[in-house]
Amino acid sequence: NLLNAVFHTRTRALLEACPATGNYHYLSGVLIGAELRELAATDVPVTLVGSGPLLAAYRRAFEVLAPGALQSVLDADDCLIAGQLRVARHRGLL
């Protein structure tokens, strides 16, 4: 239950003296897991766009929770630049 897990984050801080960074990672994992659980119920191929530690967390979650769903992985900065160039060309700025 997602709501239960979210409230559990607060009790971890209060009752278990869990540090904020531990709760950050716990809650991030809970939310990624909930998102992928919904996604795994469909047969939609996914392109993951991201960077850094969050991208690594999503990749690992896909391996465990939705193997085969991840079609490709793209770097967020590369996508941002490509999108900006496309808009600039479309507007005749380049």
Side-chain angles (χ1 to χ4, degrees):
N1 179 312
L2 180 59
L3 189 57
N4 184 27
V6 170
F7 279 111
H8 183 68
T9 304
R10 179 72 175 138
T11 62
R12 284 169 40 100
L14 295 173
L15 303 177
E16 300 172 26
C18 185
T21 56
N23 270 340
Y24 167 83
H25 292 293
Y26 171 81
L27 186 56
S28 179
V30 165
L31 294 174
I32 290 170
E35 182 179 6
L36 293 191
R37 185 175 349 124
E38 295 290 324
L39 192 64
T42 69
D43 288 330
V44 177
V46 174
T47 296
L48 184 59
V49 178
S51 62
L54 191 56
L55 176 62
Y58 266 95
R59 287 184 90 149
R60 179 68 180 131
F62 268 101
E63 291 171 7
V64 173
L65 300 174
L70 190 56
Q71 184 176 15
S72 61
V73 178
L74 302 173
D75 180 77
D77 292 334
D78 292 343
C79 290
L80 174 67
I81 292 167
Q84 289 174 338
L85 286 171
R86 187 171 181 174
V87 169
R89 285 187 185 115
H90 179 74
R91 300 229 176 215
L93 301 172
L94 295 177

